[in-house]
Amino acid sequence: MKIIVAIKQVPARDSQLRVDSAGKWIQTSGLSFEINEPDAYALEAALQLKEKNGGEVLALCAGPAGASQTIREALAKGADRALHIEDDTLNDLDTLAVSRLLAKAAAAENPDLILTGLQSDDLGYGQTGVVIAELLGMPHATLIMEVEKKDAAVRVKRELEDGWFQHVELPLPAVLTIQSGISKLRYATLMGIKRAKTKEVKRLTAADLGVELQPTITIDRVYAPVRTKQTQILEGSAKEAAAKLVEKLKFEVRVL
Amino acid sequence: MSGILVITQQKNRMSAETLAAGQQLGAALNLPVSAAVIGTSDAGEFADKKLDHIYTVDDPLLKAYTPDGYTAALEQLIRLKKPQFVLLPHTYQVRDFAPKLATRFQQVLVSDVVDFRAAPGSVVMVRQLFQGKLNADVKFGGEAPYFASLQAGAFRAENAVRADTPVSVESVPVQLDASKIRSRPEEPFREAQRAVDLTAASIIVSVGRGIREKENIPMVEELAKVMGAELAASRPICDNGWLPMERQVGSSGQTVAPKVYIAVGISGAIQHLVGMKGAKTIVAINKDANAPIFEVADYGIVGDLFEVVPALIEEVKKAKG
Ligand SMILES: Cc1cc2nc3c(=O)[nH]c(=O)nc-3n(C[C@H](O)[C@H](O)[C@H](O)COP(=O)(O)OP(=O)(O)OC[C@H]3O[C@@H](n4cnc5c(N)ncnc54)[C@H](O)[C@@H]3O)c2cc1C
Ligand SMILES: Nc1ncnc2c1ncn2[C@@H]1O[C@H](COP(=O)(O)O)[C@@H](O)[C@H]1O
């Protein structure tokens, strides 16, 4: 089974974000980056499927040159090869334009399965996998917690709201968007890191893929949300703040 | 192209919120608002709302939800009625099919919208970036229809305007082909009965990724114990297996409304907030003064939880004598 995993590089989780001077995105200089969290789970799911059923795992990433670090990590964890669509202007694009790039690059590999994360931590559109499926004419399922390979099909467990689940069977080739927590993540071994250096990373551009980088929807302005709620911040040292909180809980909220 | 079409999901309270938002957008743009009900010919709970039309789209192939079936049916409805805007509730089901539907029209769904500013000729959708840390104004482009899905709780269902005259309900026939529906859905199910019922707790102490390691969980556990509280968690804590799934609060976990909810090292992503916003009093302990959790908190301590939590345990013990 040939599996493509779409991985995105996003600013590290605890980054202090600042809006850039144009007011259309964040300042990216000085930030550290990491793999988008659900994508790490998508990669894990792909590696486990390969271990069980054989085949090949390809990491697919569209991003600036600096994304190669995240790609290397995926290779170190066990992906066999990678496709890097190198572009610095992706933040100006929308899901459809990025999905066209990813779909075009994926299609050339004739995969049996394409896995994406269910949502990116930066843009948070939660759509790219579904749009890729539509562009490629493949069936899809979202919010996946388990994947079981059948003959020419997969049976997956979808998460629904409020603790409900559902099994769905889909013919291959198909696209799945993977939810976090699907299984425990592995670490890259020293051996893996060494091997990653020899693995193939194919670099592509939008021009190579014949995709026009034209957004349909546009981000007009990025800004800090205006707080509507008045939070009472309890100041002081940890001890003072804790004492103030206990007083509030005891005399105002009356729960202690 | 004209008018606003609200696509509802049966038995989902977010549909009424989206309807109210649709009416608001309609009022701002001077456009008529209609609603679509899928998989039934019963207009049900929407029949008493002020709407231009209710379209029911029913077919045996829409009884069980599939992205192929829903996309095909809604594509036909939209091509027939030609709305300028299509609004949907941002439910898990909508996440599953709406991006596909929008792609059919060479459009991009503006997903998880929290607000909009609209005047004739200018519509701006507001959505969150970076898990609620920043907001973005988004503008539509290309040819209508324009698609947006609305975040849970962002608009108030009570604001929906009721009809003074009965709304016309029109059944819209669609042509669906069973062979084009590729996924085989089985019956939804719930995992074994939950051993923990967080909904009954009057105080909840909830822990998030700020706790860093499994070895630190007992500290928060102790805080819960001295307060007589139930222990809960955000998703990553349960994903990592540090606490069982049944203690997860949020859109895919439990929805709780205790007297007091103390969020320790939780950032306040919307999927967590929807599960605990209903708490009477919310306390947030977080080292980041800009964390979105402070958007809903009544009391906040900006500081290191590894200092604040032990201090809090001491103070609670003192207060309880
Ligand atoms: C479809 C879907 C469903 C989801 N369902 C759920 C759900 O049901 N429940 C849920 O919780 N999430 C859910 N999520 C995930 C959600 O989007 C967030 O990723 C998650 O809630 C983040 O958890 P967190 O706040 O614990 O972690 P983070 O976002 O990593 O936040 C950690 C916080 O701890 C603070 N911190 C760090 N160190 C310290 C310290 N020493 N002292 C004090 N503060 C500190 C940081 O400032 C930060 O604010 C879902 C996501 C999706 C897409
Ligand atoms: N630039 C990208 N490169 C690779 N994968 C991506 C990219 N953008 C989005 N994805 C994938 O699509 C998923 C959903 O992203 P989004 O639709 O932005 O929420 C992510 O979890 C990734 O798996």
Side-chain angles (χ1 to χ4, degrees), chain A residues 13 37 100 119 122-123 125 127 134 137 140 142 155 159 162 165 167 169 218 220-221 223 228 231-232 234, chain B residues 95-96 100 104 106 109 111 127 130 135 137 139 182 184 186 189-190 209 235 252 294-295 297-300:
Chain A
R13 217 170 288 114
E37 185 167 41
R100 280 191 177 123
Q119 189 162 314
D122 52 0
L123 282 167
Y125 280 124
Q127 307 185 29
E134 171 66 14
H140 77 266
T142 55
R155 182 166 179 266
E159 182 179 292
D162 297 325
F165 297 94
H167 283 108
E169 192 166 307
T218 44
D220 201 40
R221 193 164 75 90
Y223 51 98
T228 49
T231 305
Q232 256 193 65
L234 307 173
Chain B
R95 297 171 71 104
D96 195 61
K100 183 176 170 73
R104 290 269 163 103
Q106 307 297 313
L109 170 72
S111 53
R127 62 186 302 282
F130 297 95
N135 276 0
D137 287 350
K139 286 191 168 160
R182 296 163 293 183
R184 297 270 161 274
E186 299 170 27
F189 64 95
R190 264 195 149 145
R209 183 146 46 193
R235 181 169 190 125
S252 43
F294 289 115
E295 178 63 29
D298 299 282
Y299 301 107

Short mmCIF file of all heavy atoms in Angstrom, two decimals, chain A residues 13 37 100 119 122-123 125 127 134 137 140 142 155 159 162 165 167 169 218 220-221 223 228 231-232 234, chain B residues 95-96 100 104 106 109 111 127 130 135 137 139 182 184 186 189-190 209 235 252 294-295 297-300:
data_model
loop_
_atom_site.label_atom_id
_atom_site.label_comp_id
_atom_site.label_asym_id
_atom_site.label_seq_id
_atom_site.Cartn_x
_atom_site.Cartn_y
_atom_site.Cartn_z
N ARG A 13 3.97 25.61 19.45
CA ARG A 13 2.71 25.86 20.16
C ARG A 13 2.75 27.05 21.12
O ARG A 13 1.81 27.81 21.20
CB ARG A 13 2.31 24.60 20.91
CG ARG A 13 0.84 24.37 20.90
CD ARG A 13 0.51 23.01 21.42
NE ARG A 13 0.87 21.95 20.52
CZ ARG A 13 1.81 21.04 20.75
NH1 ARG A 13 2.50 21.07 21.86
NH2 ARG A 13 2.05 20.09 19.89
N GLU A 37 0.20 19.37 14.88
CA GLU A 37 -0.01 18.21 15.77
C GLU A 37 -0.79 17.04 15.15
O GLU A 37 -0.31 15.91 15.19
CB GLU A 37 -0.69 18.67 17.06
CG GLU A 37 -0.82 17.54 18.06
CD GLU A 37 -1.19 18.03 19.44
OE1 GLU A 37 -2.04 18.93 19.53
OE2 GLU A 37 -0.64 17.50 20.42
N ARG A 100 -4.86 22.38 -4.41
CA ARG A 100 -4.55 22.09 -5.81
C ARG A 100 -3.09 21.67 -5.95
O ARG A 100 -2.78 20.72 -6.67
CB ARG A 100 -4.81 23.33 -6.68
CG ARG A 100 -6.27 23.49 -7.00
CD ARG A 100 -6.49 24.56 -8.08
NE ARG A 100 -7.91 24.62 -8.39
CZ ARG A 100 -8.67 25.71 -8.30
NH1 ARG A 100 -8.13 26.86 -7.93
NH2 ARG A 100 -9.95 25.67 -8.60
N GLN A 119 -6.91 19.31 10.93
CA GLN A 119 -6.95 20.77 11.01
C GLN A 119 -5.54 21.29 11.25
O GLN A 119 -4.76 20.67 11.97
CB GLN A 119 -7.86 21.16 12.17
CG GLN A 119 -8.17 22.63 12.23
CD GLN A 119 -9.39 22.91 13.10
OE1 GLN A 119 -10.41 22.25 12.98
NE2 GLN A 119 -9.28 23.87 13.99
N ASP A 122 -2.36 26.72 12.56
CA ASP A 122 -2.24 28.14 12.22
C ASP A 122 -3.50 28.67 11.53
O ASP A 122 -4.23 29.47 12.09
CB ASP A 122 -0.96 28.41 11.40
CG ASP A 122 -0.80 27.52 10.18
OD1 ASP A 122 -1.67 26.66 9.93
OD2 ASP A 122 0.20 27.68 9.45
N LEU A 123 -3.81 28.17 10.32
CA LEU A 123 -5.00 28.65 9.62
C LEU A 123 -6.29 28.06 10.17
O LEU A 123 -7.33 28.70 10.19
CB LEU A 123 -4.88 28.35 8.13
CG LEU A 123 -3.99 29.28 7.34
CD1 LEU A 123 -3.71 28.70 5.96
CD2 LEU A 123 -4.63 30.65 7.19
N TYR A 125 -8.35 25.89 8.95
CA TYR A 125 -9.51 25.75 8.06
C TYR A 125 -10.22 24.41 8.26
O TYR A 125 -11.43 24.32 8.13
CB TYR A 125 -9.09 25.89 6.59
CG TYR A 125 -8.90 27.32 6.16
CD1 TYR A 125 -7.71 27.75 5.61
CD2 TYR A 125 -9.94 28.24 6.31
CE1 TYR A 125 -7.54 29.07 5.21
CE2 TYR A 125 -9.77 29.56 5.91
CZ TYR A 125 -8.58 29.97 5.36
OH TYR A 125 -8.41 31.27 4.98
N GLN A 127 -10.05 21.76 6.32
CA GLN A 127 -10.68 21.40 5.05
C GLN A 127 -9.78 20.73 4.04
O GLN A 127 -10.27 20.12 3.09
CB GLN A 127 -11.16 22.67 4.34
CG GLN A 127 -12.01 23.55 5.14
CD GLN A 127 -12.54 24.71 4.33
OE1 GLN A 127 -12.72 24.60 3.11
NE2 GLN A 127 -12.76 25.81 4.97
N GLU A 134 -11.92 15.81 -3.18
CA GLU A 134 -12.84 16.25 -4.24
C GLU A 134 -12.07 16.53 -5.54
O GLU A 134 -12.51 16.13 -6.62
CB GLU A 134 -13.61 17.50 -3.77
CG GLU A 134 -14.45 18.19 -4.84
CD GLU A 134 -15.63 17.37 -5.34
OE1 GLU A 134 -15.99 16.36 -4.71
OE2 GLU A 134 -16.19 17.75 -6.40
N GLY A 137 -11.24 13.29 -7.08
CA GLY A 137 -12.36 12.37 -7.32
C GLY A 137 -12.31 11.15 -6.42
O GLY A 137 -12.83 10.08 -6.77
N HIS A 140 -13.75 10.20 0.79
CA HIS A 140 -13.01 10.62 1.96
C HIS A 140 -13.81 10.36 3.23
O HIS A 140 -15.02 10.14 3.18
CB HIS A 140 -12.69 12.11 1.88
CG HIS A 140 -13.87 12.98 2.21
ND1 HIS A 140 -14.72 13.48 1.25
CD2 HIS A 140 -14.38 13.40 3.40
CE1 HIS A 140 -15.68 14.18 1.83
NE2 HIS A 140 -15.50 14.14 3.13
N THR A 142 -13.61 12.00 7.49
CA THR A 142 -12.89 12.95 8.35
C THR A 142 -12.93 12.53 9.81
O THR A 142 -13.75 11.69 10.20
CB THR A 142 -13.52 14.35 8.24
OG1 THR A 142 -14.91 14.25 8.55
CG2 THR A 142 -13.34 14.94 6.86
N ARG A 155 -11.72 0.30 6.50
CA ARG A 155 -12.82 0.52 7.43
C ARG A 155 -12.27 1.41 8.53
O ARG A 155 -11.24 1.11 9.12
CB ARG A 155 -13.31 -0.82 8.01
CG ARG A 155 -14.50 -0.66 8.95
CD ARG A 155 -15.13 -2.03 9.20
NE ARG A 155 -16.26 -1.94 10.11
CZ ARG A 155 -16.19 -2.13 11.42
NH1 ARG A 155 -15.02 -2.42 11.99
NH2 ARG A 155 -17.27 -2.05 12.18
N GLU A 159 -14.88 10.02 14.57
CA GLU A 159 -15.35 10.63 15.80
C GLU A 159 -16.54 11.53 15.47
O GLU A 159 -16.49 12.30 14.52
CB GLU A 159 -14.21 11.47 16.38
CG GLU A 159 -14.52 12.12 17.69
CD GLU A 159 -13.31 12.91 18.19
OE1 GLU A 159 -12.30 12.29 18.55
OE2 GLU A 159 -13.39 14.14 18.19
N ASP A 162 -19.77 14.72 21.13
CA ASP A 162 -20.28 14.24 22.42
C ASP A 162 -20.02 12.77 22.71
O ASP A 162 -20.86 12.09 23.31
CB ASP A 162 -21.80 14.49 22.52
CG ASP A 162 -22.13 15.97 22.47
OD1 ASP A 162 -21.32 16.76 23.01
OD2 ASP A 162 -23.16 16.33 21.88
N PHE A 165 -19.31 7.72 18.06
CA PHE A 165 -18.41 7.28 17.00
C PHE A 165 -19.21 6.57 15.91
O PHE A 165 -20.38 6.25 16.11
CB PHE A 165 -17.36 6.31 17.56
CG PHE A 165 -16.47 6.92 18.58
CD1 PHE A 165 -16.77 6.82 19.94
CD2 PHE A 165 -15.33 7.62 18.21
CE1 PHE A 165 -15.96 7.41 20.90
CE2 PHE A 165 -14.51 8.21 19.16
CZ PHE A 165 -14.82 8.10 20.51
N HIS A 167 -18.44 3.71 12.43
CA HIS A 167 -17.55 3.06 11.47
C HIS A 167 -18.03 3.35 10.06
O HIS A 167 -19.25 3.41 9.82
CB HIS A 167 -17.52 1.55 11.71
CG HIS A 167 -16.68 1.17 12.89
ND1 HIS A 167 -17.22 0.71 14.06
CD2 HIS A 167 -15.35 1.20 13.07
CE1 HIS A 167 -16.25 0.48 14.93
NE2 HIS A 167 -15.10 0.76 14.35
N GLU A 169 -16.96 2.34 5.84
CA GLU A 169 -16.05 1.65 4.92
C GLU A 169 -15.96 2.43 3.60
O GLU A 169 -16.96 2.90 3.09
CB GLU A 169 -16.54 0.23 4.67
CG GLU A 169 -15.48 -0.60 3.96
CD GLU A 169 -15.78 -2.10 3.99
OE1 GLU A 169 -16.02 -2.64 5.09
OE2 GLU A 169 -15.79 -2.69 2.89
N THR A 218 -9.64 35.93 0.68
CA THR A 218 -8.40 36.57 1.12
C THR A 218 -8.51 37.04 2.56
O THR A 218 -9.58 37.47 3.01
CB THR A 218 -8.06 37.80 0.25
OG1 THR A 218 -9.26 38.54 0.05
CG2 THR A 218 -7.48 37.40 -1.09
N ASP A 220 -7.90 39.79 4.98
CA ASP A 220 -7.78 41.22 4.81
C ASP A 220 -6.98 41.84 5.94
O ASP A 220 -6.26 42.81 5.75
CB ASP A 220 -9.21 41.80 4.82
CG ASP A 220 -9.27 43.14 4.16
OD1 ASP A 220 -8.61 43.31 3.13
OD2 ASP A 220 -9.96 44.03 4.71
N ARG A 221 -7.14 41.25 7.14
CA ARG A 221 -6.50 41.86 8.30
C ARG A 221 -6.41 40.81 9.40
O ARG A 221 -7.33 40.04 9.61
CB ARG A 221 -7.38 43.02 8.79
CG ARG A 221 -6.72 43.95 9.79
CD ARG A 221 -7.52 45.24 9.90
NE ARG A 221 -8.76 45.05 10.65
CZ ARG A 221 -8.85 45.21 11.98
NH1 ARG A 221 -7.80 45.54 12.69
NH2 ARG A 221 -10.00 45.04 12.60
N TYR A 223 -5.49 40.45 13.56
CA TYR A 223 -5.40 41.31 14.75
C TYR A 223 -5.71 40.51 16.01
O TYR A 223 -6.31 39.43 15.94
CB TYR A 223 -6.38 42.48 14.62
CG TYR A 223 -7.79 42.07 14.25
CD1 TYR A 223 -8.78 41.94 15.21
CD2 TYR A 223 -8.13 41.79 12.93
CE1 TYR A 223 -10.07 41.55 14.87
CE2 TYR A 223 -9.40 41.40 12.58
CZ TYR A 223 -10.37 41.27 13.55
OH TYR A 223 -11.63 40.86 13.20
N THR A 228 -14.17 40.77 25.26
CA THR A 228 -15.48 41.30 25.61
C THR A 228 -15.77 41.06 27.08
O THR A 228 -16.60 41.71 27.68
CB THR A 228 -16.57 40.64 24.75
OG1 THR A 228 -16.38 39.24 24.80
CG2 THR A 228 -16.50 41.12 23.33
N THR A 231 -12.26 39.99 32.83
CA THR A 231 -11.71 39.00 33.75
C THR A 231 -11.07 39.74 34.91
O THR A 231 -10.31 40.68 34.68
CB THR A 231 -10.66 38.14 33.04
OG1 THR A 231 -11.23 37.58 31.87
CG2 THR A 231 -10.16 37.02 33.93
N GLN A 232 -11.39 39.32 36.13
CA GLN A 232 -10.70 39.90 37.28
C GLN A 232 -9.38 39.19 37.44
O GLN A 232 -9.35 38.03 37.83
CB GLN A 232 -11.53 39.66 38.53
CG GLN A 232 -12.29 40.88 39.01
CD GLN A 232 -12.82 40.63 40.39
OE1 GLN A 232 -12.06 40.48 41.35
NE2 GLN A 232 -14.14 40.58 40.50
N LEU A 234 -6.22 38.31 39.37
CA LEU A 234 -5.79 38.34 40.77
C LEU A 234 -4.27 38.49 40.78
O LEU A 234 -3.55 37.60 40.37
CB LEU A 234 -6.24 37.06 41.48
CG LEU A 234 -7.75 36.80 41.32
CD1 LEU A 234 -8.13 35.44 41.88
CD2 LEU A 234 -8.58 37.90 41.96
N ARG B 95 -18.24 19.88 8.66
CA ARG B 95 -16.80 19.81 8.37
C ARG B 95 -16.52 18.72 7.34
O ARG B 95 -15.58 18.80 6.58
CB ARG B 95 -16.01 19.41 9.62
CG ARG B 95 -16.07 20.36 10.77
CD ARG B 95 -15.42 19.71 11.99
NE ARG B 95 -14.00 19.62 11.82
CZ ARG B 95 -13.13 20.42 12.42
NH1 ARG B 95 -13.53 21.32 13.28
NH2 ARG B 95 -11.85 20.30 12.20
N ASP B 96 -17.37 17.66 7.37
CA ASP B 96 -17.13 16.50 6.53
C ASP B 96 -17.54 16.73 5.07
O ASP B 96 -16.92 16.18 4.17
CB ASP B 96 -17.88 15.29 7.11
CG ASP B 96 -17.42 13.97 6.52
OD1 ASP B 96 -16.22 13.64 6.67
OD2 ASP B 96 -18.24 13.26 5.90
N LYS B 100 -16.18 20.03 0.40
CA LYS B 100 -16.38 19.34 -0.88
C LYS B 100 -17.43 20.08 -1.70
O LYS B 100 -17.25 20.33 -2.90
CB LYS B 100 -16.85 17.91 -0.55
CG LYS B 100 -17.08 16.98 -1.72
CD LYS B 100 -17.44 15.59 -1.15
CE LYS B 100 -17.91 14.65 -2.23
NZ LYS B 100 -16.78 14.22 -3.08
N ARG B 104 -17.05 22.20 -5.41
CA ARG B 104 -17.87 21.99 -6.62
C ARG B 104 -18.15 23.31 -7.34
O ARG B 104 -18.41 23.35 -8.52
CB ARG B 104 -19.22 21.36 -6.26
CG ARG B 104 -19.15 19.94 -5.80
CD ARG B 104 -19.31 19.00 -6.97
NE ARG B 104 -18.85 17.68 -6.57
CZ ARG B 104 -19.66 16.68 -6.26
NH1 ARG B 104 -20.95 16.84 -6.28
NH2 ARG B 104 -19.14 15.51 -5.92
N GLN B 106 -16.04 25.88 -7.23
CA GLN B 106 -14.73 26.57 -7.29
C GLN B 106 -14.65 27.62 -6.19
O GLN B 106 -14.06 28.68 -6.37
CB GLN B 106 -14.53 27.28 -8.65
CG GLN B 106 -14.71 26.39 -9.85
CD GLN B 106 -13.68 25.27 -9.87
OE1 GLN B 106 -12.50 25.50 -9.68
NE2 GLN B 106 -14.14 24.03 -10.06
N LEU B 109 -14.85 27.42 1.38
CA LEU B 109 -15.67 27.60 2.57
C LEU B 109 -14.88 28.44 3.58
O LEU B 109 -13.76 28.11 3.94
CB LEU B 109 -15.98 26.23 3.17
CG LEU B 109 -16.62 26.21 4.57
CD1 LEU B 109 -18.06 26.68 4.51
CD2 LEU B 109 -16.54 24.81 5.17
N SER B 111 -14.50 28.84 7.02
CA SER B 111 -14.97 27.93 8.07
C SER B 111 -14.81 28.52 9.46
O SER B 111 -13.93 29.33 9.71
CB SER B 111 -14.19 26.62 7.98
OG SER B 111 -12.80 26.86 7.98
N ARG B 127 -12.86 35.16 11.49
CA ARG B 127 -12.58 33.80 11.98
C ARG B 127 -11.29 33.81 12.78
O ARG B 127 -10.51 34.73 12.71
CB ARG B 127 -12.56 32.78 10.84
CG ARG B 127 -11.49 33.00 9.79
CD ARG B 127 -11.63 32.02 8.63
NE ARG B 127 -11.57 30.64 9.08
CZ ARG B 127 -10.45 30.00 9.39
NH1 ARG B 127 -9.27 30.60 9.29
NH2 ARG B 127 -10.47 28.73 9.78
N PHE B 130 -4.68 30.44 14.69
CA PHE B 130 -3.81 30.00 15.79
C PHE B 130 -4.62 29.64 17.03
O PHE B 130 -4.35 30.13 18.13
CB PHE B 130 -2.75 31.08 16.10
CG PHE B 130 -1.83 31.33 14.95
CD1 PHE B 130 -2.07 32.36 14.06
CD2 PHE B 130 -0.73 30.51 14.73
CE1 PHE B 130 -1.23 32.57 12.97
CE2 PHE B 130 0.11 30.71 13.65
CZ PHE B 130 -0.14 31.74 12.78
N ASN B 135 -7.41 36.92 15.47
CA ASN B 135 -8.57 36.92 14.59
C ASN B 135 -8.15 37.36 13.20
O ASN B 135 -7.17 38.08 13.05
CB ASN B 135 -9.63 37.90 15.10
CG ASN B 135 -10.51 37.27 16.17
OD1 ASN B 135 -10.33 36.11 16.54
ND2 ASN B 135 -11.47 38.05 16.66
N ASP B 137 -9.94 38.99 9.49
CA ASP B 137 -11.06 39.41 8.64
C ASP B 137 -10.85 38.75 7.29
O ASP B 137 -9.78 38.89 6.69
CB ASP B 137 -11.05 40.93 8.44
CG ASP B 137 -11.48 41.66 9.70
OD1 ASP B 137 -11.95 41.00 10.65
OD2 ASP B 137 -11.35 42.90 9.73
N LYS B 139 -12.31 38.07 3.33
CA LYS B 139 -13.23 38.53 2.29
C LYS B 139 -13.44 37.45 1.24
O LYS B 139 -12.50 36.75 0.88
CB LYS B 139 -12.67 39.79 1.62
CG LYS B 139 -12.80 41.00 2.52
CD LYS B 139 -12.50 42.27 1.77
CE LYS B 139 -12.92 43.48 2.59
NZ LYS B 139 -12.25 44.69 2.14
N ARG B 182 -20.01 6.42 -2.30
CA ARG B 182 -18.94 5.45 -2.17
C ARG B 182 -18.72 4.95 -0.75
O ARG B 182 -18.21 3.85 -0.55
CB ARG B 182 -17.65 6.05 -2.75
CG ARG B 182 -17.78 6.31 -4.24
CD ARG B 182 -16.73 7.24 -4.76
NE ARG B 182 -16.88 8.60 -4.22
CZ ARG B 182 -16.11 9.63 -4.56
NH1 ARG B 182 -15.15 9.45 -5.42
NH2 ARG B 182 -16.31 10.82 -4.03
N ARG B 184 -19.68 3.54 3.01
CA ARG B 184 -20.71 2.70 3.64
C ARG B 184 -20.71 3.01 5.14
O ARG B 184 -19.92 2.43 5.88
CB ARG B 184 -20.40 1.22 3.46
CG ARG B 184 -20.40 0.74 2.04
CD ARG B 184 -21.78 0.25 1.59
NE ARG B 184 -21.85 0.22 0.14
CZ ARG B 184 -22.18 1.29 -0.62
NH1 ARG B 184 -22.47 2.44 -0.07
NH2 ARG B 184 -22.22 1.20 -1.93
N GLU B 186 -21.86 2.91 9.02
CA GLU B 186 -22.56 2.01 9.94
C GLU B 186 -23.25 2.86 11.00
O GLU B 186 -23.08 4.07 11.04
CB GLU B 186 -21.55 1.01 10.54
CG GLU B 186 -20.89 0.15 9.46
CD GLU B 186 -19.73 -0.69 9.98
OE1 GLU B 186 -19.72 -1.02 11.19
OE2 GLU B 186 -18.84 -0.99 9.17
N PHE B 189 -22.34 4.82 17.40
CA PHE B 189 -22.36 4.11 18.69
C PHE B 189 -21.58 4.91 19.71
O PHE B 189 -20.83 5.81 19.38
CB PHE B 189 -21.76 2.71 18.53
CG PHE B 189 -20.30 2.71 18.16
CD1 PHE B 189 -19.31 2.62 19.14
CD2 PHE B 189 -19.89 2.82 16.83
CE1 PHE B 189 -17.96 2.64 18.80
CE2 PHE B 189 -18.53 2.84 16.48
CZ PHE B 189 -17.57 2.75 17.47
N ARG B 190 -21.80 4.56 20.96
CA ARG B 190 -21.04 5.16 22.06
C ARG B 190 -20.18 4.09 22.66
O ARG B 190 -20.58 2.95 22.73
CB ARG B 190 -22.00 5.67 23.13
CG ARG B 190 -22.28 7.12 22.97
CD ARG B 190 -22.90 7.67 24.20
NE ARG B 190 -22.48 9.05 24.32
CZ ARG B 190 -23.24 10.02 24.79
NH1 ARG B 190 -24.42 9.75 25.28
NH2 ARG B 190 -22.79 11.25 24.84
N ARG B 209 -2.24 21.03 28.80
CA ARG B 209 -0.87 20.67 28.43
C ARG B 209 0.19 21.48 29.18
O ARG B 209 1.35 21.09 29.20
CB ARG B 209 -0.71 20.83 26.92
CG ARG B 209 0.63 20.42 26.41
CD ARG B 209 0.59 19.81 25.06
NE ARG B 209 -0.23 20.60 24.16
CZ ARG B 209 -0.65 20.15 22.97
NH1 ARG B 209 -0.32 18.95 22.57
NH2 ARG B 209 -1.39 20.92 22.21
N ARG B 235 -8.04 17.82 25.76
CA ARG B 235 -7.82 16.65 24.91
C ARG B 235 -6.39 16.11 24.89
O ARG B 235 -6.20 14.89 24.98
CB ARG B 235 -8.27 17.01 23.49
CG ARG B 235 -8.09 15.88 22.54
CD ARG B 235 -8.75 16.09 21.21
NE ARG B 235 -8.68 14.81 20.55
CZ ARG B 235 -9.73 14.16 20.07
NH1 ARG B 235 -10.91 14.68 20.12
NH2 ARG B 235 -9.56 12.98 19.52
N SER B 252 -15.54 16.96 21.69
CA SER B 252 -15.56 15.51 21.50
C SER B 252 -15.54 14.79 22.84
O SER B 252 -15.45 13.57 22.88
CB SER B 252 -14.39 15.08 20.62
OG SER B 252 -13.21 15.76 20.98
N PHE B 294 -8.72 33.37 28.85
CA PHE B 294 -9.10 34.56 29.61
C PHE B 294 -10.30 35.28 29.00
O PHE B 294 -10.89 36.14 29.62
CB PHE B 294 -7.90 35.51 29.77
CG PHE B 294 -6.85 34.96 30.71
CD1 PHE B 294 -5.58 34.64 30.24
CD2 PHE B 294 -7.15 34.73 32.05
CE1 PHE B 294 -4.61 34.12 31.11
CE2 PHE B 294 -6.19 34.21 32.92
CZ PHE B 294 -4.92 33.90 32.45
N GLU B 295 -10.63 34.91 27.79
CA GLU B 295 -11.83 35.46 27.14
C GLU B 295 -13.10 35.02 27.87
O GLU B 295 -14.10 35.72 27.86
CB GLU B 295 -11.84 35.01 25.68
CG GLU B 295 -13.03 35.44 24.87
CD GLU B 295 -13.15 36.95 24.72
OE1 GLU B 295 -12.12 37.65 24.75
OE2 GLU B 295 -14.28 37.41 24.59
N ALA B 297 -12.89 33.65 31.21
CA ALA B 297 -12.66 33.49 32.65
C ALA B 297 -13.24 34.65 33.45
O ALA B 297 -13.18 35.80 33.04
CB ALA B 297 -11.16 33.38 32.92
N ASP B 298 -13.80 34.35 34.64
CA ASP B 298 -14.25 35.38 35.57
C ASP B 298 -13.07 35.84 36.42
O ASP B 298 -12.91 37.01 36.71
CB ASP B 298 -15.36 34.83 36.46
CG ASP B 298 -16.55 34.40 35.64
OD1 ASP B 298 -17.32 35.27 35.23
OD2 ASP B 298 -16.69 33.18 35.38
N TYR B 299 -12.27 34.87 36.86
CA TYR B 299 -11.08 35.17 37.64
C TYR B 299 -9.87 34.58 36.94
O TYR B 299 -9.94 33.46 36.42
CB TYR B 299 -11.17 34.57 39.05
CG TYR B 299 -12.35 35.08 39.83
CD1 TYR B 299 -13.45 34.27 40.06
CD2 TYR B 299 -12.36 36.39 40.32
CE1 TYR B 299 -14.55 34.74 40.77
CE2 TYR B 299 -13.45 36.87 41.02
CZ TYR B 299 -14.55 36.04 41.25
OH TYR B 299 -15.62 36.52 41.93
N GLY B 300 -8.78 35.33 36.95
CA GLY B 300 -7.58 34.81 36.30
C GLY B 300 -6.36 34.99 37.17
O GLY B 300 -6.24 35.98 37.89
#
